[in-house]
Amino acid sequence: MLQGGLRGALNQSVLEASGPQAAKVERLWWIAFTTAAIVYVLTMGALWFAARRARRRELRGELLDETAAEPRMTRAVTWGTAATLVILLLFLGADLLVGRTLSPIPKKQPLTIEVTGHQWWWEVAYADTSPHGRFTTANEIHVPVGEPVLLVLEAQDVIHSIWVPNLAGKKDLIPGYTQSLWFQADTAGLYRGQCAEFCGLQHAKMALQVVAEPRTKYEEWAAGQQKPAQNATDPVASRGREVFLTGTCVMCHAIEGTSAGSHVGPDLTHLASRRTIAAGTLPNTRGALAGWIVDPQRIKPGVHMPPNQLKPQDLDALLTYLQTLK
Ligand code: HEC
Ligand SMILES: [Cu+2]
């Protein structure tokens, strides 16, 4: 599924932090894990010790002196409860502390990206202030390495939650309410994220990828994304463009540089530059595209894209056209 110049696997782990935000979350995880491990070992040790003592007493034929044991037991339970409370309060404190240090937005004007959750895909808009202006893509967020990135989060329909574990903690996307989240990727690579709040039937197939790359590569990518789609010159591709623009596709999709301007579904201006389609569900290959366009309901049942009955030549031309949208 991996294409392009990036080496290595698709990372998705809380325990391999690749930035300052995720590092804090990872540290918190280790504190909780270590504490829980110590408590577990102590509890099991005490249980083993008590069982052995009771068994020995039984073998010696002694009876437990209830009245002498009672205050001892009360003391043990009281101390146990107090220790539990203290540990839980310490957890709460550590949690709040990490939460506080995560939220302040860095002073340096960060790259701002608007992410809107839809059932079941991510709309990604770069609020670029350069002369070429903003551009929109889907399910793939490119960021420069080592720089803070601010995500401005919104939702179109229901509550979603963005979670790229290597880079940051979770944050909900709530309809009618703007939230923000910042992170910084310190290592170039490909990071997988997914929706972390149940949002309907295809919640499980709502993934995204963060592509962290050196500044120059990022700028190259952004410059490409800002351009409108190139006019198809190849006759088959031109035919495919016709199929797209005269069919139902324009009701839901936009391709900059053509008359298609709807934003119900993902912007397709640079579809061919993306690694996956349908929010990480399929690799972006000709075959997968064909399967998706003909019957998206088979791939993501309930998805808000209808099946398309296309003549074989029309489908073929349409695929050729879509693959020119680099
Ligand atoms: C009623 C609206 C609607 C119509 C009509 C429609 N689509 Fe879609 N399309 C969507 C939605 C919504 C998605 C996102 C689905 C998801 O990932 O959950 C989508 C996704 C796609 C994708 C994957 C994009 C990506 O980056 O993941 C492609 C390609 C696509 N549509 C092509 C087409 C073509 C070609 C047509 C016309 C033959 C068409 N669509 C008609 C709504 C529509
Ligand atoms: Cu979701």
Side-chain angles (χ1 to χ4, degrees):
M1 215 198 258
L2 292 179
Q3 299 161 8
L6 283 161
R7 274 185 297 124
L10 199 53
N11 305 292
Q12 187 176 9
S13 169
V14 183
L15 303 180
E16 281 165 35
S18 299
Q21 302 288 84
K24 285 176 188 161
V25 178
E26 183 180 345
R27 207 172 311 136
L28 192 61
W29 189 92
W30 278 110
I31 292 172
F33 177 76
T34 314
T35 313
I38 293 171
V39 169
Y40 179 79
V41 169
L42 288 180
T43 312
M44 285 302 146
L47 184 65
W48 176 80
F49 182 74
R52 206 182 61 149
R53 206 172 51 174
R55 180 79 186 131
R56 288 214 170 143
R57 195 180 287 133
E58 204 180 287
L59 288 176
R60 286 202 299 268
E62 282 172 32
L63 276 176
L64 184 67
D65 181 356
E66 296 268 349
T67 40
E70 183 78 29
R72 230 178 34 235
M73 283 197 235
T74 312
R75 222 178 311 130
V77 170
T78 311
W79 276 110
T81 311
T84 309
L85 263 175
V86 168
I87 292 172
L88 286 178
L89 281 174
L90 284 178
F91 274 171
L92 181 69
D95 196 45
L96 289 177
L97 215 69
V98 170
R100 273 178 73 107
T101 60
L102 289 183
S103 29
I105 291 158
K107 292 204 178 58
K108 195 183 140 208
Q109 180 67 39
L111 172 66
T112 305
I113 306 171
E114 295 161 21
V115 178
T116 308
H118 294 257
Q119 280 174 320
W120 291 279
W121 60 283
W122 307 90
E123 183 179 345
V124 180
Y126 283 70
D128 197 299
T129 44
S130 74
H132 305 290
R134 58 188 276 136
F135 61 88
T136 308
T137 179
N139 309 320
E140 199 174 291
I141 304 177
H142 286 241
V143 298
V145 166
E147 292 179 35
V149 175
L150 180 69
L151 299 185
V152 176
L153 307 169
E154 267 161 63
Q156 182 68 37
D157 32 45
V158 298
I159 299 178
H160 302 272
S161 181
I162 190 165
W163 191 30
V164 188
N166 295 74
L167 300 176
K170 294 173 190 174
K171 194 83 171 196
D172 280 0
L173 290 78
I174 300 164
Y177 182 74
T178 307
Q179 298 235 78
S180 60
L181 167 75
W182 80 269
F183 68 83
Q184 179 175 312
D186 284 336
T187 328
L190 213 50
Y191 302 101
R192 189 175 187 276
Q194 63 187 62
C195 185
E197 176 71 47
F198 181 72
C199 60
L201 204 54
Q202 293 303 329
H203 164 65
K205 288 184 179 162
M206 184 168 168
L208 72 142
Q209 288 188 7
V210 175
V211 183
E213 53 200 0
R215 182 90 208 169
T216 47
K217 276 201 79 179
Y218 163 75
E219 273 170 9
E220 215 173 277
W221 172 83
Q225 298 288 313
Q226 281 168 334
K227 292 195 189 109
Q230 269 174 8
N231 235 327
T233 42
D234 171 81
V236 182
S238 309
R239 171 90 192 92
R241 188 168 177 271
E242 277 299 304
V243 173
F244 187 89
L245 294 175
T246 54
T248 53
C249 320
V250 292
M251 281 164 40
C252 301
H253 292 287
I255 295 182
E256 294 294 328
T258 73
S259 57
S262 172
H263 286 275
V264 175
D267 188 300
L268 302 180
T269 312
H270 296 286
L271 170 71
S273 75
R274 302 204 271 269
R275 285 152 211 278
T276 65
I277 56 168
T281 308
L282 295 172
N284 191 359
T285 61
R286 193 179 174 92
L289 262 180
W292 173 260
I293 291 167
V294 171
D295 197 358
Q297 300 295 328
R298 267 263 301 267
I299 294 152
K300 277 173 101 164
V303 72
H304 300 306
M305 171 163 157
N308 291 286
Q309 297 266 333
L310 292 165
K311 285 198 225 93
Q313 307 94 296
D314 285 355
L315 177 63
D316 195 53
L318 179 61
L319 292 171
T320 301
Y321 171 59
L322 291 177
Q323 290 200 300
T324 66
L325 301 173
K326 290 256 159 55

